Amino acid sequence: MAEVLRIAIQKSGRLSEKSLEIIKNCGIKFGSDARVLKERASNFPLEFLYVRDDDIPGYIRDGVADIGIVGRNEYDEQAIDLEVLRDLGFAKCRLSIAVPIDFPYTGLASLEGKRIATSYPHILGGILAEQGIRATFIQVSGSVEVTPQVGIADAICDLVSTGATLAMNGLREVEAIYTSTAVMIGRKNMGSEEKENILSRLELRIDAVMRASSYKYVLFNLPEEHLDQVARIVGGMKSPTVTRLMETGWVSVQTVVAEDTFWDVFEQLKALGAQGILVTPIEKMTE
Ligand code: ATP
Ligand code: ZN
């Protein structure tokens, strides 16, 4: 019987749609929108397993799936020894320290002896240990941002994309300690040459899809006070070009945004009060 490669994909959440889109763009045909647990591609030896993202690294280790797509944060936190096959670049977010407005934060050292609520004790613990900082971790799996208000934590460490949720809970983001994107991970040894071959073919297609995903040139007006946050959102690229507008407190920003993150960035810019967002294609771009 011919072998198939089994890929684990988040059933529903921030990673699902984009993961499937990449595979579709590889010319692989598969199914229904009403998602089942498993389905088989019709024109490529690939089988999909739709599960919770938290379960993906363990399933790959145990041989339930061969490869999978997860946030790098989830992979690093679980510290299961697999291989990162490709960085897919989407689902960009950061793991940040946030503290109540009146917390006198001057750097990671301010966390010494404090209680920090987080779903990422392994990643955070590693970073604090490197700096010789001791803290107590309160492990929570959701609503991390409410823990200071209810008095069970002094600070939090959580995933952030815009910071709006933090502000609503009287917290301010003081330091990003880690950034994450979606990665394709797999077992170090697929256990069969046939599976290795299928994986190589898939990787070849994914590389082509990623290379083709172009950039856009983006121009918008922004309240100057949000410039720092914008630099973080479009981060990873060269610094944006900033021009002062006649109207005080406003700037015009020009930058290049990867097409595959465009809608994320667009929504985040809107949330920061960006106006007149103009998007134009780039004909050619040299390094
Ligand atoms: P599941 O039900 O599958 O366990 P989940 O609630 O754990 O889902 P999502 O919220 O869909 O997971 O997030 C999945 C991944 O998306 C995160 O692990 C992270 O890598 C990425 N991500 C991107 N932006 C954010 C954000 N603003 N907040 C949280 N995660 C984000
Ligand atoms: Zn999850």
Side-chain angles (χ1 to χ4, degrees):
M1 202 182 78
E3 286 208 72
V4 295
L5 189 73
R6 196 180 272 179
I7 184 168
I9 303 268
Q10 187 186 26
K11 186 174 175 65
S12 92
R14 291 184 153 99
L15 302 169
S16 313
E17 217 171 293
K18 194 72 203 178
S19 300
L20 294 175
E21 189 188 307
I22 289 178
I23 295 171
K24 281 207 173 110
N25 289 341
C26 289
I28 295 173
K29 294 201 161 54
F30 55 97
S32 50
D33 272 38
R35 266 183 236 148
V36 284
L37 172 66
K38 274 200 311 190
E39 72 174 305
R40 172 73 213 269
S42 61
N43 61 350
F44 196 84
L46 190 66
E47 188 170 76
F48 299 81
L49 194 65
Y50 299 114
V51 294
R52 287 198 54 191
D53 66 342
D54 314 53
D55 295 333
I56 293 176
Y59 280 164
I60 296 172
R61 176 199 53 208
D62 299 341
V64 176
D66 302 302
I67 61 173
I69 298 177
V70 289
R72 192 181 282 274
N73 53 299
E74 194 64 47
Y75 172 64
D76 281 348
E77 181 60 27
Q78 294 195 19
I80 291 177
D81 190 27
L82 303 170
E83 194 160 352
V84 175
L85 302 166
R86 289 294 182 277
D87 188 328
L88 301 174
F90 70 93
K92 199 172 157 121
C93 57
R94 57 189 189 273
L95 199 52
S96 284
I97 304 288
V99 296
I101 305 295
D102 57 1
F103 184 113
Y105 187 90
T106 54
L108 286 177
S110 303
L111 299 173
E112 177 71 35
K114 301 292 188 206
R115 298 165 303 163
I116 311 170
T118 187
S119 311
Y120 298 92
H122 182 78
I123 295 175
L124 176 63
I127 289 165
L128 293 186
E130 259 171 36
Q131 315 251 344
I133 297 162
R134 281 153 311 169
T136 304
F137 301 132
I138 314 289
Q139 191 164 353
V140 284
S141 55
S143 303
V144 181
E145 64 285 348
V146 305
T147 55
Q149 289 171 68
V150 298
I152 60 170
D154 305 305
I156 70 164
C157 175
D158 201 11
L159 287 179
V160 181
S161 52
T162 64
T165 321
L166 295 179
M168 256 163 42
N169 285 282
L171 300 172
R172 66 192 169 103
E173 181 182 4
V174 287
E175 191 151 346
I177 59 162
Y178 174 95
T179 56
S180 176
T181 48
V183 288
M184 185 165 89
I185 53 174
R187 222 172 314 113
K188 286 194 169 153
N189 185 345
M190 289 291 148
S192 92
E193 205 176 318
E194 205 176 336
K195 276 191 186 181
E196 297 282 1
N197 286 338
I198 301 168
L199 177 59
S200 303
R201 286 173 61 204
L202 180 64
E203 286 175 333
L204 202 78
R205 293 188 187 197
I206 287 177
D207 290 344
V209 167
M210 304 270 294
R211 226 175 291 123
S213 86
S214 54
Y215 288 83
K216 297 282 182 201
Y217 189 74
V218 181
L219 185 80
F220 55 91
N221 294 334
L222 182 84
E224 192 170 6
E225 58 188 8
H226 292 148
L227 208 47
D228 282 355
Q229 278 153 287
V230 164
R232 248 181 268 135
I233 291 169
V234 300
M237 309 280 315
K238 292 229 175 62
S239 306
T241 304
V242 179
T243 322
R244 203 164 293 283
L245 293 184
M246 290 287 282
E247 191 178 338
T248 41
W250 283 81
V251 288
S252 163
V253 180
Q254 303 168 43
T255 191
V256 168
V257 174
E259 169 126 65
D260 58 355
T261 64
F262 176 74
W263 288 107
D264 281 349
V265 170
F266 180 81
E267 284 164 11
Q268 295 178 38
L269 292 177
K270 288 292 275 186
L272 288 174
Q275 291 183 0
I277 304 176
L278 181 77
V279 184
T280 62
I282 296 170
E283 196 183 333
K284 293 189 180 61
M285 192 168 80
T286 59
E287 292 202 61

mmCIF file with all atom_site columns, all heavy atoms in Angstrom, residues 224-244:
data_model
loop_
_atom_site.group_PDB
_atom_site.id
_atom_site.type_symbol
_atom_site.label_atom_id
_atom_site.label_alt_id
_atom_site.label_comp_id
_atom_site.label_asym_id
_atom_site.label_entity_id
_atom_site.label_seq_id
_atom_site.pdbx_PDB_ins_code
_atom_site.Cartn_x
_atom_site.Cartn_y
_atom_site.Cartn_z
_atom_site.occupancy
_atom_site.B_iso_or_equiv
_atom_site.pdbx_formal_charge
_atom_site.auth_seq_id
_atom_site.auth_comp_id
_atom_site.auth_asym_id
_atom_site.auth_atom_id
_atom_site.pdbx_PDB_model_num
ATOM 1   N N   . GLU A 1 224 ? 1.166  60.510 16.036 1.00 0.00 ? 224 GLU A N   1
ATOM 2   C CA  . GLU A 1 224 ? 2.599  60.310 16.301 1.00 0.00 ? 224 GLU A CA  1
ATOM 3   C C   . GLU A 1 224 ? 2.852  59.461 17.545 1.00 0.00 ? 224 GLU A C   1
ATOM 4   O O   . GLU A 1 224 ? 3.794  58.676 17.601 1.00 0.00 ? 224 GLU A O   1
ATOM 5   C CB  . GLU A 1 224 ? 3.273  61.679 16.466 1.00 0.00 ? 224 GLU A CB  1
ATOM 6   C CG  . GLU A 1 224 ? 4.772  61.591 16.457 1.00 0.00 ? 224 GLU A CG  1
ATOM 7   C CD  . GLU A 1 224 ? 5.435  62.953 16.371 1.00 0.00 ? 224 GLU A CD  1
ATOM 8   O OE1 . GLU A 1 224 ? 4.715  63.985 16.433 1.00 0.00 ? 224 GLU A OE1 1
ATOM 9   O OE2 . GLU A 1 224 ? 6.663  62.982 16.257 1.00 0.00 ? 224 GLU A OE2 1
ATOM 10  N N   . GLU A 1 225 ? 1.961  59.572 18.522 1.00 0.00 ? 225 GLU A N   1
ATOM 11  C CA  . GLU A 1 225 ? 2.152  58.841 19.785 1.00 0.00 ? 225 GLU A CA  1
ATOM 12  C C   . GLU A 1 225 ? 2.156  57.319 19.590 1.00 0.00 ? 225 GLU A C   1
ATOM 13  O O   . GLU A 1 225 ? 2.614  56.582 20.447 1.00 0.00 ? 225 GLU A O   1
ATOM 14  C CB  . GLU A 1 225 ? 1.061  59.237 20.790 1.00 0.00 ? 225 GLU A CB  1
ATOM 15  C CG  . GLU A 1 225 ? -0.328 58.969 20.230 1.00 0.00 ? 225 GLU A CG  1
ATOM 16  C CD  . GLU A 1 225 ? -1.457 59.528 21.102 1.00 0.00 ? 225 GLU A CD  1
ATOM 17  O OE1 . GLU A 1 225 ? -1.145 60.254 22.054 1.00 0.00 ? 225 GLU A OE1 1
ATOM 18  O OE2 . GLU A 1 225 ? -2.622 59.218 20.808 1.00 0.00 ? 225 GLU A OE2 1
ATOM 19  N N   . HIS A 1 226 ? 1.643  56.863 18.455 1.00 0.00 ? 226 HIS A N   1
ATOM 20  C CA  . HIS A 1 226 ? 1.588  55.410 18.236 1.00 0.00 ? 226 HIS A CA  1
ATOM 21  C C   . HIS A 1 226 ? 2.716  54.878 17.366 1.00 0.00 ? 226 HIS A C   1
ATOM 22  O O   . HIS A 1 226 ? 2.734  53.716 16.992 1.00 0.00 ? 226 HIS A O   1
ATOM 23  C CB  . HIS A 1 226 ? 0.239  55.011 17.635 1.00 0.00 ? 226 HIS A CB  1
ATOM 24  C CG  . HIS A 1 226 ? -0.893 55.198 18.600 1.00 0.00 ? 226 HIS A CG  1
ATOM 25  N ND1 . HIS A 1 226 ? -2.155 55.531 18.212 1.00 0.00 ? 226 HIS A ND1 1
ATOM 26  C CD2 . HIS A 1 226 ? -0.915 55.108 19.953 1.00 0.00 ? 226 HIS A CD2 1
ATOM 27  C CE1 . HIS A 1 226 ? -2.926 55.651 19.289 1.00 0.00 ? 226 HIS A CE1 1
ATOM 28  N NE2 . HIS A 1 226 ? -2.189 55.389 20.362 1.00 0.00 ? 226 HIS A NE2 1
ATOM 29  N N   . LEU A 1 227 ? 3.665  55.732 17.081 1.00 0.00 ? 227 LEU A N   1
ATOM 30  C CA  . LEU A 1 227 ? 4.748  55.365 16.178 1.00 0.00 ? 227 LEU A CA  1
ATOM 31  C C   . LEU A 1 227 ? 5.551  54.157 16.668 1.00 0.00 ? 227 LEU A C   1
ATOM 32  O O   . LEU A 1 227 ? 5.889  53.269 15.894 1.00 0.00 ? 227 LEU A O   1
ATOM 33  C CB  . LEU A 1 227 ? 5.661  56.581 16.004 1.00 0.00 ? 227 LEU A CB  1
ATOM 34  C CG  . LEU A 1 227 ? 6.433  56.712 14.698 1.00 0.00 ? 227 LEU A CG  1
ATOM 35  C CD1 . LEU A 1 227 ? 5.547  56.462 13.494 1.00 0.00 ? 227 LEU A CD1 1
ATOM 36  C CD2 . LEU A 1 227 ? 7.046  58.109 14.619 1.00 0.00 ? 227 LEU A CD2 1
ATOM 37  N N   . ASP A 1 228 ? 5.823  54.120 17.962 1.00 0.00 ? 228 ASP A N   1
ATOM 38  C CA  . ASP A 1 228 ? 6.594  52.996 18.521 1.00 0.00 ? 228 ASP A CA  1
ATOM 39  C C   . ASP A 1 228 ? 5.890  51.678 18.273 1.00 0.00 ? 228 ASP A C   1
ATOM 40  O O   . ASP A 1 228 ? 6.503  50.687 17.901 1.00 0.00 ? 228 ASP A O   1
ATOM 41  C CB  . ASP A 1 228 ? 6.744  53.146 20.045 1.00 0.00 ? 228 ASP A CB  1
ATOM 42  C CG  . ASP A 1 228 ? 7.821  54.150 20.376 1.00 0.00 ? 228 ASP A CG  1
ATOM 43  O OD1 . ASP A 1 228 ? 8.490  54.622 19.426 1.00 0.00 ? 228 ASP A OD1 1
ATOM 44  O OD2 . ASP A 1 228 ? 7.985  54.454 21.570 1.00 0.00 ? 228 ASP A OD2 1
ATOM 45  N N   . GLN A 1 229 ? 4.569  51.690 18.504 1.00 0.00 ? 229 GLN A N   1
ATOM 46  C CA  . GLN A 1 229 ? 3.801  50.448 18.329 1.00 0.00 ? 229 GLN A CA  1
ATOM 47  C C   . GLN A 1 229 ? 3.795  50.015 16.869 1.00 0.00 ? 229 GLN A C   1
ATOM 48  O O   . GLN A 1 229 ? 3.886  48.841 16.565 1.00 0.00 ? 229 GLN A O   1
ATOM 49  C CB  . GLN A 1 229 ? 2.361  50.653 18.815 1.00 0.00 ? 229 GLN A CB  1
ATOM 50  C CG  . GLN A 1 229 ? 2.243  50.515 20.319 1.00 0.00 ? 229 GLN A CG  1
ATOM 51  C CD  . GLN A 1 229 ? 1.083  51.320 20.829 1.00 0.00 ? 229 GLN A CD  1
ATOM 52  O OE1 . GLN A 1 229 ? 1.147  52.550 20.878 1.00 0.00 ? 229 GLN A OE1 1
ATOM 53  N NE2 . GLN A 1 229 ? 0.010  50.641 21.195 1.00 0.00 ? 229 GLN A NE2 1
ATOM 54  N N   . VAL A 1 230 ? 3.707  50.994 15.976 1.00 0.00 ? 230 VAL A N   1
ATOM 55  C CA  . VAL A 1 230 ? 3.710  50.672 14.558 1.00 0.00 ? 230 VAL A CA  1
ATOM 56  C C   . VAL A 1 230 ? 5.041  50.059 14.156 1.00 0.00 ? 230 VAL A C   1
ATOM 57  O O   . VAL A 1 230 ? 5.088  49.077 13.422 1.00 0.00 ? 230 VAL A O   1
ATOM 58  C CB  . VAL A 1 230 ? 3.397  51.926 13.710 1.00 0.00 ? 230 VAL A CB  1
ATOM 59  C CG1 . VAL A 1 230 ? 3.775  51.691 12.255 1.00 0.00 ? 230 VAL A CG1 1
ATOM 60  C CG2 . VAL A 1 230 ? 1.923  52.258 13.820 1.00 0.00 ? 230 VAL A CG2 1
ATOM 61  N N   . ALA A 1 231 ? 6.114  50.613 14.678 1.00 0.00 ? 231 ALA A N   1
ATOM 62  C CA  . ALA A 1 231 ? 7.434  50.069 14.360 1.00 0.00 ? 231 ALA A CA  1
ATOM 63  C C   . ALA A 1 231 ? 7.476  48.600 14.750 1.00 0.00 ? 231 ALA A C   1
ATOM 64  O O   . ALA A 1 231 ? 8.067  47.775 14.066 1.00 0.00 ? 231 ALA A O   1
ATOM 65  C CB  . ALA A 1 231 ? 8.516  50.861 15.078 1.00 0.00 ? 231 ALA A CB  1
ATOM 66  N N   . ARG A 1 232 ? 6.827  48.262 15.834 1.00 0.00 ? 232 ARG A N   1
ATOM 67  C CA  . ARG A 1 232 ? 6.810  46.864 16.284 1.00 0.00 ? 232 ARG A CA  1
ATOM 68  C C   . ARG A 1 232 ? 5.950  45.988 15.362 1.00 0.00 ? 232 ARG A C   1
ATOM 69  O O   . ARG A 1 232 ? 6.307  44.864 15.056 1.00 0.00 ? 232 ARG A O   1
ATOM 70  C CB  . ARG A 1 232 ? 6.260  46.783 17.716 1.00 0.00 ? 232 ARG A CB  1
ATOM 71  C CG  . ARG A 1 232 ? 7.331  46.357 18.703 1.00 0.00 ? 232 ARG A CG  1
ATOM 72  C CD  . ARG A 1 232 ? 6.772  46.258 20.107 1.00 0.00 ? 232 ARG A CD  1
ATOM 73  N NE  . ARG A 1 232 ? 6.932  47.507 20.825 1.00 0.00 ? 232 ARG A NE  1
ATOM 74  C CZ  . ARG A 1 232 ? 5.979  48.070 21.563 1.00 0.00 ? 232 ARG A CZ  1
ATOM 75  N NH1 . ARG A 1 232 ? 4.800  47.520 21.681 1.00 0.00 ? 232 ARG A NH1 1
ATOM 76  N NH2 . ARG A 1 232 ? 6.213  49.177 22.200 1.00 0.00 ? 232 ARG A NH2 1
ATOM 77  N N   . ILE A 1 233 ? 4.825  46.527 14.927 1.00 0.00 ? 233 ILE A N   1
ATOM 78  C CA  . ILE A 1 233 ? 3.919  45.749 14.071 1.00 0.00 ? 233 ILE A CA  1
ATOM 79  C C   . ILE A 1 233 ? 4.573  45.436 12.732 1.00 0.00 ? 233 ILE A C   1
ATOM 80  O O   . ILE A 1 233 ? 4.494  44.329 12.232 1.00 0.00 ? 233 ILE A O   1
ATOM 81  C CB  . ILE A 1 233 ? 2.602  46.523 13.819 1.00 0.00 ? 233 ILE A CB  1
ATOM 82  C CG1 . ILE A 1 233 ? 1.798  46.602 15.111 1.00 0.00 ? 233 ILE A CG1 1
ATOM 83  C CG2 . ILE A 1 233 ? 1.783  45.864 12.723 1.00 0.00 ? 233 ILE A CG2 1
ATOM 84  C CD1 . ILE A 1 233 ? 0.644  47.562 15.032 1.00 0.00 ? 233 ILE A CD1 1
ATOM 85  N N   . VAL A 1 234 ? 5.203  46.440 12.136 1.00 0.00 ? 234 VAL A N   1
ATOM 86  C CA  . VAL A 1 234 ? 5.829  46.202 10.837 1.00 0.00 ? 234 VAL A CA  1
ATOM 87  C C   . VAL A 1 234 ? 7.274  45.753 11.026 1.00 0.00 ? 234 VAL A C   1
ATOM 88  O O   . VAL A 1 234 ? 8.048  45.721 10.092 1.00 0.00 ? 234 VAL A O   1
ATOM 89  C CB  . VAL A 1 234 ? 5.739  47.433 9.894  1.00 0.00 ? 234 VAL A CB  1
ATOM 90  C CG1 . VAL A 1 234 ? 4.297  47.788 9.629  1.00 0.00 ? 234 VAL A CG1 1
ATOM 91  C CG2 . VAL A 1 234 ? 6.492  48.621 10.456 1.00 0.00 ? 234 VAL A CG2 1
ATOM 92  N N   . GLY A 1 235 ? 7.620  45.416 12.245 1.00 0.00 ? 235 GLY A N   1
ATOM 93  C CA  . GLY A 1 235 ? 8.982  45.024 12.587 1.00 0.00 ? 235 GLY A CA  1
ATOM 94  C C   . GLY A 1 235 ? 9.477  43.852 11.774 1.00 0.00 ? 235 GLY A C   1
ATOM 95  O O   . GLY A 1 235 ? 8.719  43.141 11.150 1.00 0.00 ? 235 GLY A O   1
ATOM 96  N N   . GLY A 1 236 ? 10.775 43.659 11.791 1.00 0.00 ? 236 GLY A N   1
ATOM 97  C CA  . GLY A 1 236 ? 11.335 42.566 11.015 1.00 0.00 ? 236 GLY A CA  1
ATOM 98  C C   . GLY A 1 236 ? 11.766 43.087 9.659  1.00 0.00 ? 236 GLY A C   1
ATOM 99  O O   . GLY A 1 236 ? 12.615 42.536 8.991  1.00 0.00 ? 236 GLY A O   1
ATOM 100 N N   . MET A 1 237 ? 11.175 44.200 9.225  1.00 0.00 ? 237 MET A N   1
ATOM 101 C CA  . MET A 1 237 ? 11.558 44.846 7.969  1.00 0.00 ? 237 MET A CA  1
ATOM 102 C C   . MET A 1 237 ? 12.451 46.029 8.336  1.00 0.00 ? 237 MET A C   1
ATOM 103 O O   . MET A 1 237 ? 12.660 46.330 9.479  1.00 0.00 ? 237 MET A O   1
ATOM 104 C CB  . MET A 1 237 ? 10.318 45.398 7.255  1.00 0.00 ? 237 MET A CB  1
ATOM 105 C CG  . MET A 1 237 ? 9.199  44.424 7.101  1.00 0.00 ? 237 MET A CG  1
ATOM 106 S SD  . MET A 1 237 ? 9.473  43.301 5.736  1.00 0.00 ? 237 MET A SD  1
ATOM 107 C CE  . MET A 1 237 ? 10.030 44.432 4.482  1.00 0.00 ? 237 MET A CE  1
ATOM 108 N N   . LYS A 1 238 ? 12.909 46.729 7.322  1.00 0.00 ? 238 LYS A N   1
ATOM 109 C CA  . LYS A 1 238 ? 13.649 47.968 7.586  1.00 0.00 ? 238 LYS A CA  1
ATOM 110 C C   . LYS A 1 238 ? 12.699 48.951 8.263  1.00 0.00 ? 238 LYS A C   1
ATOM 111 O O   . LYS A 1 238 ? 11.494 48.877 8.132  1.00 0.00 ? 238 LYS A O   1
ATOM 112 C CB  . LYS A 1 238 ? 14.146 48.565 6.269  1.00 0.00 ? 238 LYS A CB  1
ATOM 113 C CG  . LYS A 1 238 ? 15.212 47.717 5.619  1.00 0.00 ? 238 LYS A CG  1
ATOM 114 C CD  . LYS A 1 238 ? 16.399 48.575 5.212  1.00 0.00 ? 238 LYS A CD  1
ATOM 115 C CE  . LYS A 1 238 ? 17.543 47.756 4.677  1.00 0.00 ? 238 LYS A CE  1
ATOM 116 N NZ  . LYS A 1 238 ? 17.150 47.028 3.464  1.00 0.00 ? 238 LYS A NZ  1
ATOM 117 N N   . SER A 1 239 ? 13.272 49.894 8.992  1.00 0.00 ? 239 SER A N   1
ATOM 118 C CA  . SER A 1 239 ? 12.441 50.876 9.687  1.00 0.00 ? 239 SER A CA  1
ATOM 119 C C   . SER A 1 239 ? 11.566 51.618 8.687  1.00 0.00 ? 239 SER A C   1
ATOM 120 O O   . SER A 1 239 ? 12.001 51.884 7.580  1.00 0.00 ? 239 SER A O   1
ATOM 121 C CB  . SER A 1 239 ? 13.321 51.901 10.385 1.00 0.00 ? 239 SER A CB  1
ATOM 122 O OG  . SER A 1 239 ? 14.227 51.242 11.193 1.00 0.00 ? 239 SER A OG  1
ATOM 123 N N   . PRO A 1 240 ? 10.343 51.962 9.085  1.00 0.00 ? 240 PRO A N   1
ATOM 124 C CA  . PRO A 1 240 ? 9.515  52.715 8.161  1.00 0.00 ? 240 PRO A CA  1
ATOM 125 C C   . PRO A 1 240 ? 10.068 54.139 7.964  1.00 0.00 ? 240 PRO A C   1
ATOM 126 O O   . PRO A 1 240 ? 10.786 54.651 8.822  1.00 0.00 ? 240 PRO A O   1
ATOM 127 C CB  . PRO A 1 240 ? 8.153  52.747 8.845  1.00 0.00 ? 240 PRO A CB  1
ATOM 128 C CG  . PRO A 1 240 ? 8.390  52.405 10.264 1.00 0.00 ? 240 PRO A CG  1
ATOM 129 C CD  . PRO A 1 240 ? 9.657  51.622 10.321 1.00 0.00 ? 240 PRO A CD  1
ATOM 130 N N   . THR A 1 241 ? 9.704  54.752 6.853  1.00 0.00 ? 241 THR A N   1
ATOM 131 C CA  . THR A 1 241 ? 10.039 56.157 6.608  1.00 0.00 ? 241 THR A CA  1
ATOM 132 C C   . THR A 1 241 ? 8.932  56.996 7.217  1.00 0.00 ? 241 THR A C   1
ATOM 133 O O   . THR A 1 241 ? 7.748  56.740 6.991  1.00 0.00 ? 241 THR A O   1
ATOM 134 C CB  . THR A 1 241 ? 10.094 56.432 5.091  1.00 0.00 ? 241 THR A CB  1
ATOM 135 O OG1 . THR A 1 241 ? 11.026 55.523 4.527  1.00 0.00 ? 241 THR A OG1 1
ATOM 136 C CG2 . THR A 1 241 ? 10.506 57.860 4.799  1.00 0.00 ? 241 THR A CG2 1
ATOM 137 N N   . VAL A 1 242 ? 9.304  57.992 8.008  1.00 0.00 ? 242 VAL A N   1
ATOM 138 C CA  . VAL A 1 242 ? 8.307  58.791 8.704  1.00 0.00 ? 242 VAL A CA  1
ATOM 139 C C   . VAL A 1 242 ? 8.456  60.254 8.296  1.00 0.00 ? 242 VAL A C   1
ATOM 140 O O   . VAL A 1 242 ? 9.545  60.800 8.323  1.00 0.00 ? 242 VAL A O   1
ATOM 141 C CB  . VAL A 1 242 ? 8.484  58.663 10.236 1.00 0.00 ? 242 VAL A CB  1
ATOM 142 C CG1 . VAL A 1 242 ? 7.461  59.526 10.959 1.00 0.00 ? 242 VAL A CG1 1
ATOM 143 C CG2 . VAL A 1 242 ? 8.358  57.207 10.662 1.00 0.00 ? 242 VAL A CG2 1
ATOM 144 N N   . THR A 1 243 ? 7.339  60.862 7.898  1.00 0.00 ? 243 THR A N   1
ATOM 145 C CA  . THR A 1 243 ? 7.341  62.274 7.511  1.00 0.00 ? 243 THR A CA  1
ATOM 146 C C   . THR A 1 243 ? 6.342  63.009 8.395  1.00 0.00 ? 243 THR A C   1
ATOM 147 O O   . THR A 1 243 ? 5.251  62.498 8.651  1.00 0.00 ? 243 THR A O   1
ATOM 148 C CB  . THR A 1 243 ? 6.871  62.446 6.042  1.00 0.00 ? 243 THR A CB  1
ATOM 149 O OG1 . THR A 1 243 ? 7.398  61.372 5.265  1.00 0.00 ? 243 THR A OG1 1
ATOM 150 C CG2 . THR A 1 243 ? 7.332  63.760 5.470  1.00 0.00 ? 243 THR A CG2 1
ATOM 151 N N   . ARG A 1 244 ? 6.736  64.182 8.876  1.00 0.00 ? 244 ARG A N   1
ATOM 152 C CA  . ARG A 1 244 ? 5.840  64.955 9.724  1.00 0.00 ? 244 ARG A CA  1
ATOM 153 C C   . ARG A 1 244 ? 4.748  65.600 8.872  1.00 0.00 ? 244 ARG A C   1
ATOM 154 O O   . ARG A 1 244 ? 5.011  66.061 7.760  1.00 0.00 ? 244 ARG A O   1
ATOM 155 C CB  . ARG A 1 244 ? 6.666  66.032 10.417 1.00 0.00 ? 244 ARG A CB  1
ATOM 156 C CG  . ARG A 1 244 ? 6.085  66.555 11.686 1.00 0.00 ? 244 ARG A CG  1
ATOM 157 C CD  . ARG A 1 244 ? 7.155  67.309 12.466 1.00 0.00 ? 244 ARG A CD  1
ATOM 158 N NE  . ARG A 1 244 ? 8.214  66.396 12.951 1.00 0.00 ? 244 ARG A NE  1
ATOM 159 C CZ  . ARG A 1 244 ? 8.066  65.586 13.997 1.00 0.00 ? 244 ARG A CZ  1
ATOM 160 N NH1 . ARG A 1 244 ? 6.938  65.564 14.669 1.00 0.00 ? 244 ARG A NH1 1
ATOM 161 N NH2 . ARG A 1 244 ? 9.052  64.803 14.381 1.00 0.00 ? 244 ARG A NH2 1
#
